Amino acid sequence: ENNRSWTYSVSGNDDVQYAMIHRAAHHYYYKDIKGLLRPPLISQLPSRMKISAMHSAADGTNGDTSYWRESLTAGILPMIRIYARDNCDQYYGTTIHELAHASHCNMGTWTFQGTSDKVAESWARGVQWELSRMVYPDYKEDKVNLPNYTLVVRDLIDNDGYFEKRGSYGEFVSGYTIAQLERSLIGQKTFNDWKNKIKNDYENPTENNLDKVFDYWN
């Protein structure tokens, strides 16, 4: 009985939202995530991870994550909320983004609370881009929203020579992996500290250009 197949036809906006949240969460928790750390498990939270599908749109907000909302209510309120969007890939990417925040927080709650918004959001934006395009190869929902939502992670991984979304040539850093950038992220609170930790942790033939990339997005 437990091994029987389960088929459900998705229809309607609410069903699409639920399905994409579930699919992205399953990816981050159980599938290939290129060596990244998993989001917190039930043993690491006051309750199980709760993700709430909000059927209304929020001005300028696709989703949000709050460890304290979940922790201080003993799991009654959700740690993550995903708001109404237009497309499947937007739901997927937003869920990945918010789970990246949860995973970041799980590296050290008190350190995370003191981390600059630029570091936290740039990291989550990078994971959003890297994991979402494993499912949606042409994924483009990675808009820049300065000062905090940068594409520095993307620029350290890709090899196109451009600072993304700006049309400015001269970004000559490449070859870092998302897992390397995460390992260097642990315990770092500022953009500059993160950059220096990457420099110290790895030998990369393009690392002499790291200052230029971080300065660009700073």
Side-chain angles (χ1 to χ4, degrees), residues 102-129:
S103 182
H104 191 180
C105 181
N106 199 44
M107 298 174 201
T109 304
W110 294 107
T111 300
F112 179 75
Q113 294 306 310
T115 298
S116 73
D117 288 342
K118 183 184 287 289
V119 171
E121 295 300 349
S122 294
W123 170 246
R125 180 56 57 84
V127 177
Q128 175 182 349
W129 169 74

Short mmCIF file of all heavy atoms in Angstrom, two decimals, residues 102-129:
data_model
loop_
_atom_site.label_atom_id
_atom_site.label_comp_id
_atom_site.label_asym_id
_atom_site.label_seq_id
_atom_site.Cartn_x
_atom_site.Cartn_y
_atom_site.Cartn_z
N ALA A 102 17.90 30.12 5.48
CA ALA A 102 17.75 29.20 6.61
C ALA A 102 19.02 28.37 6.81
O ALA A 102 19.47 28.15 7.95
CB ALA A 102 16.55 28.28 6.38
N SER A 103 19.61 27.92 5.72
CA SER A 103 20.85 27.16 5.80
C SER A 103 21.99 28.03 6.32
O SER A 103 22.81 27.59 7.15
CB SER A 103 21.20 26.61 4.41
OG SER A 103 22.38 25.83 4.47
N HIS A 104 22.06 29.28 5.87
CA HIS A 104 23.07 30.23 6.33
C HIS A 104 22.93 30.45 7.84
O HIS A 104 23.91 30.42 8.59
CB HIS A 104 22.90 31.55 5.56
CG HIS A 104 24.02 32.52 5.75
ND1 HIS A 104 24.03 33.75 5.12
CD2 HIS A 104 25.14 32.49 6.50
CE1 HIS A 104 25.13 34.40 5.46
NE2 HIS A 104 25.81 33.67 6.30
N CYS A 105 21.71 30.64 8.29
CA CYS A 105 21.45 30.83 9.72
C CYS A 105 21.90 29.61 10.51
O CYS A 105 22.43 29.71 11.62
CB CYS A 105 19.97 31.10 9.94
SG CYS A 105 19.50 31.38 11.66
N ASN A 106 21.71 28.43 9.92
CA ASN A 106 22.05 27.19 10.58
C ASN A 106 23.57 27.01 10.76
O ASN A 106 24.02 26.19 11.55
CB ASN A 106 21.49 26.00 9.79
CG ASN A 106 21.38 24.74 10.61
OD1 ASN A 106 20.94 24.77 11.75
ND2 ASN A 106 21.77 23.62 10.02
N MET A 107 24.36 27.79 10.02
CA MET A 107 25.82 27.74 10.18
C MET A 107 26.25 28.39 11.50
O MET A 107 27.38 28.20 11.94
CB MET A 107 26.50 28.46 9.01
CG MET A 107 26.23 27.87 7.65
SD MET A 107 26.96 28.91 6.34
CE MET A 107 26.00 28.38 4.91
N GLY A 108 25.37 29.18 12.09
CA GLY A 108 25.66 29.86 13.35
C GLY A 108 24.67 30.98 13.54
O GLY A 108 24.83 32.05 12.93
N THR A 109 23.66 30.75 14.36
CA THR A 109 22.55 31.70 14.48
C THR A 109 23.03 33.09 14.89
O THR A 109 22.64 34.10 14.29
CB THR A 109 21.53 31.21 15.51
OG1 THR A 109 21.07 29.91 15.12
CG2 THR A 109 20.34 32.15 15.58
N TRP A 110 23.91 33.16 15.88
CA TRP A 110 24.32 34.48 16.38
C TRP A 110 25.23 35.17 15.38
O TRP A 110 25.17 36.39 15.22
CB TRP A 110 25.00 34.32 17.74
CG TRP A 110 24.03 33.86 18.78
CD1 TRP A 110 23.96 32.63 19.34
CD2 TRP A 110 22.96 34.62 19.33
NE1 TRP A 110 22.91 32.56 20.23
CE2 TRP A 110 22.28 33.77 20.24
CE3 TRP A 110 22.50 35.93 19.17
CZ2 TRP A 110 21.17 34.20 20.98
CZ3 TRP A 110 21.39 36.35 19.89
CH2 TRP A 110 20.75 35.49 20.78
N THR A 111 26.06 34.40 14.69
CA THR A 111 26.88 35.00 13.64
C THR A 111 26.00 35.53 12.53
O THR A 111 26.20 36.64 12.02
CB THR A 111 27.87 33.96 13.07
OG1 THR A 111 28.72 33.51 14.11
CG2 THR A 111 28.72 34.58 11.96
N PHE A 112 25.00 34.75 12.15
CA PHE A 112 24.10 35.15 11.07
C PHE A 112 23.38 36.45 11.42
O PHE A 112 23.20 37.32 10.56
CB PHE A 112 23.08 34.04 10.79
CG PHE A 112 22.09 34.39 9.71
CD1 PHE A 112 22.46 34.38 8.37
CD2 PHE A 112 20.78 34.73 10.03
CE1 PHE A 112 21.55 34.70 7.37
CE2 PHE A 112 19.87 35.06 9.04
CZ PHE A 112 20.26 35.04 7.71
N GLN A 113 22.97 36.60 12.67
CA GLN A 113 22.25 37.80 13.06
C GLN A 113 23.10 39.05 12.91
O GLN A 113 22.60 40.14 12.71
CB GLN A 113 21.75 37.67 14.51
CG GLN A 113 20.70 36.60 14.71
CD GLN A 113 19.51 36.77 13.78
OE1 GLN A 113 18.94 37.85 13.68
NE2 GLN A 113 19.12 35.70 13.12
N GLY A 114 24.44 38.90 13.00
CA GLY A 114 25.31 40.05 12.84
C GLY A 114 25.87 40.22 11.45
O GLY A 114 26.67 41.13 11.20
N THR A 115 25.46 39.36 10.54
CA THR A 115 25.96 39.42 9.16
C THR A 115 25.29 40.56 8.42
O THR A 115 24.08 40.77 8.55
CB THR A 115 25.70 38.08 8.45
OG1 THR A 115 26.41 37.05 9.12
CG2 THR A 115 26.15 38.13 7.00
N SER A 116 26.04 41.26 7.60
CA SER A 116 25.46 42.37 6.84
C SER A 116 24.42 41.87 5.86
O SER A 116 24.51 40.74 5.36
CB SER A 116 26.56 43.13 6.08
OG SER A 116 27.02 42.36 4.97
N ASP A 117 23.42 42.70 5.59
CA ASP A 117 22.38 42.34 4.63
C ASP A 117 22.98 42.07 3.25
O ASP A 117 22.50 41.21 2.51
CB ASP A 117 21.33 43.44 4.54
CG ASP A 117 20.45 43.52 5.77
OD1 ASP A 117 20.42 42.54 6.54
OD2 ASP A 117 19.80 44.56 5.97
N LYS A 118 24.02 42.80 2.89
CA LYS A 118 24.64 42.61 1.58
C LYS A 118 25.21 41.20 1.45
O LYS A 118 25.05 40.55 0.42
CB LYS A 118 25.73 43.65 1.33
CG LYS A 118 26.38 43.54 -0.05
CD LYS A 118 27.53 44.53 -0.21
CE LYS A 118 27.03 45.94 -0.36
NZ LYS A 118 26.37 46.16 -1.68
N VAL A 119 25.88 40.72 2.49
CA VAL A 119 26.42 39.36 2.46
C VAL A 119 25.30 38.33 2.42
O VAL A 119 25.31 37.41 1.59
CB VAL A 119 27.34 39.10 3.67
CG1 VAL A 119 27.73 37.63 3.76
CG2 VAL A 119 28.59 39.97 3.59
N ALA A 120 24.33 38.48 3.31
CA ALA A 120 23.25 37.49 3.40
C ALA A 120 22.44 37.41 2.11
O ALA A 120 22.14 36.33 1.60
CB ALA A 120 22.34 37.83 4.58
N GLU A 121 22.07 38.57 1.57
CA GLU A 121 21.22 38.57 0.37
C GLU A 121 22.01 38.21 -0.89
O GLU A 121 21.48 37.54 -1.78
CB GLU A 121 20.56 39.93 0.20
CG GLU A 121 19.59 40.29 1.31
CD GLU A 121 18.42 39.34 1.47
OE1 GLU A 121 18.21 38.47 0.59
OE2 GLU A 121 17.73 39.44 2.50
N SER A 122 23.26 38.62 -0.96
CA SER A 122 24.07 38.25 -2.12
C SER A 122 24.30 36.74 -2.15
O SER A 122 24.29 36.12 -3.21
CB SER A 122 25.41 38.98 -2.09
OG SER A 122 25.22 40.37 -2.25
N TRP A 123 24.51 36.16 -0.96
CA TRP A 123 24.70 34.71 -0.90
C TRP A 123 23.42 33.98 -1.32
O TRP A 123 23.46 33.07 -2.15
CB TRP A 123 25.11 34.29 0.51
CG TRP A 123 25.08 32.79 0.66
CD1 TRP A 123 24.26 32.05 1.46
CD2 TRP A 123 25.90 31.86 -0.05
NE1 TRP A 123 24.51 30.71 1.29
CE2 TRP A 123 25.52 30.57 0.37
CE3 TRP A 123 26.91 31.98 -0.99
CZ2 TRP A 123 26.12 29.41 -0.12
CZ3 TRP A 123 27.51 30.83 -1.50
CH2 TRP A 123 27.11 29.56 -1.06
N ALA A 124 22.30 34.36 -0.75
CA ALA A 124 21.05 33.69 -1.09
C ALA A 124 20.71 33.86 -2.57
O ALA A 124 20.20 32.94 -3.22
CB ALA A 124 19.91 34.22 -0.22
N ARG A 125 21.00 35.04 -3.12
CA ARG A 125 20.77 35.27 -4.54
C ARG A 125 21.65 34.35 -5.39
O ARG A 125 21.23 33.84 -6.42
CB ARG A 125 21.03 36.75 -4.86
CG ARG A 125 20.84 37.17 -6.31
CD ARG A 125 19.45 36.86 -6.84
NE ARG A 125 18.37 37.44 -6.09
CZ ARG A 125 17.91 38.68 -6.23
NH1 ARG A 125 18.48 39.49 -7.09
NH2 ARG A 125 16.88 39.10 -5.52
N GLY A 126 22.88 34.11 -4.95
CA GLY A 126 23.78 33.23 -5.67
C GLY A 126 23.31 31.79 -5.66
O GLY A 126 23.34 31.09 -6.69
N VAL A 127 22.88 31.31 -4.50
CA VAL A 127 22.35 29.94 -4.41
C VAL A 127 21.09 29.80 -5.25
O VAL A 127 20.87 28.80 -5.93
CB VAL A 127 22.08 29.56 -2.94
CG1 VAL A 127 21.47 28.17 -2.86
CG2 VAL A 127 23.36 29.63 -2.11
N GLN A 128 20.26 30.82 -5.21
CA GLN A 128 19.03 30.85 -6.02
C GLN A 128 19.36 30.65 -7.49
O GLN A 128 18.72 29.85 -8.19
CB GLN A 128 18.34 32.20 -5.81
CG GLN A 128 17.11 32.44 -6.66
CD GLN A 128 16.54 33.83 -6.40
OE1 GLN A 128 16.92 34.52 -5.45
NE2 GLN A 128 15.61 34.27 -7.23
N TRP A 129 20.34 31.35 -7.98
CA TRP A 129 20.74 31.24 -9.39
C TRP A 129 21.34 29.87 -9.69
O TRP A 129 20.97 29.22 -10.66
CB TRP A 129 21.76 32.34 -9.71
CG TRP A 129 22.44 32.19 -11.03
CD1 TRP A 129 21.91 32.42 -12.27
CD2 TRP A 129 23.80 31.78 -11.25
NE1 TRP A 129 22.85 32.18 -13.25
CE2 TRP A 129 24.02 31.79 -12.65
CE3 TRP A 129 24.85 31.41 -10.41
CZ2 TRP A 129 25.25 31.43 -13.22
CZ3 TRP A 129 26.07 31.07 -10.98
CH2 TRP A 129 26.25 31.09 -12.37
#
